[in-house]
Amino acid sequence: QVQLVESGGGLVQPGGSLRLSCAASGIIFSIFSIDTMGWYRQAPGKQRELVATVTSGGSTDYADSVKGRFTISRDNAKNTVYLQMNSLETDDTAGYYCNVDLRAAWGPTRDYWGQGTQVTVSS
């Protein structure tokens, strides 16, 4: 029932910008609430890696490779997390996946993943 729909990927030249969006739906908010939201990426031949996270309180963390270039944000009213990517480099080329932690009213937390969106940085 829970769906995470991603958008915003594409082909961009080095130095360009993209903005990724991930909207969550199908959540029974009388029972669950969204805690941490994040973005991960996976390039060919590499393992999936953390890009950025934002907590329900607004605290953010970034991978060292994207600090100063990427910004993660969330709109709780829209149940959406964003990733603004500036000064893109060829090494940023990867499939990008959003992740949402849902917390049940009784305590346990469960992760949900988006379908992925491709970001290709090439001249």
Side-chain angles (χ1 to χ4, degrees):
Q1 293 183 359
V2 176
Q3 299 275 354
L4 303 182
V5 180
E6 300 182 29
S7 63
L11 175 65
V12 65
Q13 293 184 335
S17 298
L18 287 173
R19 183 176 176 85
L20 306 184
S21 299
C22 176
S25 63
I27 301 171
I28 305 173
F29 288 105
S30 62
I31 302 175
F32 299 96
S33 61
I34 299 177
D35 283 341
T36 301
M37 299 172 123
W39 289 93
Y40 295 73
R41 67 186 181 186
Q42 187 168 22
K46 294 186 177 181
Q47 296 185 6
R48 186 171 297 187
E49 64 175 350
L50 175 69
V51 177
T53 60
V54 56
T55 69
S56 60
S59 298
T60 58
D61 284 311
Y62 297 91
D64 288 341
S65 60
V66 307
K67 286 182 179 177
R69 300 189 297 119
F70 291 9
T71 302
I72 188 171
S73 61
R74 62 193 288 169
D75 186 335
N76 291 331
K78 297 180 179 179
N79 301 315
T80 300
V81 61
Y82 305 94
L83 185 68
Q84 178 67 47
M85 304 184 293
N86 298 326
S87 302
L88 283 163
E89 304 168 353
T90 56
D91 287 347
D92 295 318
T93 297
Y96 284 72
Y97 301 83
C98 68
N99 174 268
V100 174
D101 292 338
L102 294 184
R103 176 171 53 83
W106 55 91
T109 301
R110 181 176 175 84
D111 289 346
Y112 291 87
W113 291 89
Q115 82 283 0
T117 184
Q118 179 67 33
V119 172
T120 301
V121 184
S122 177
S123 60

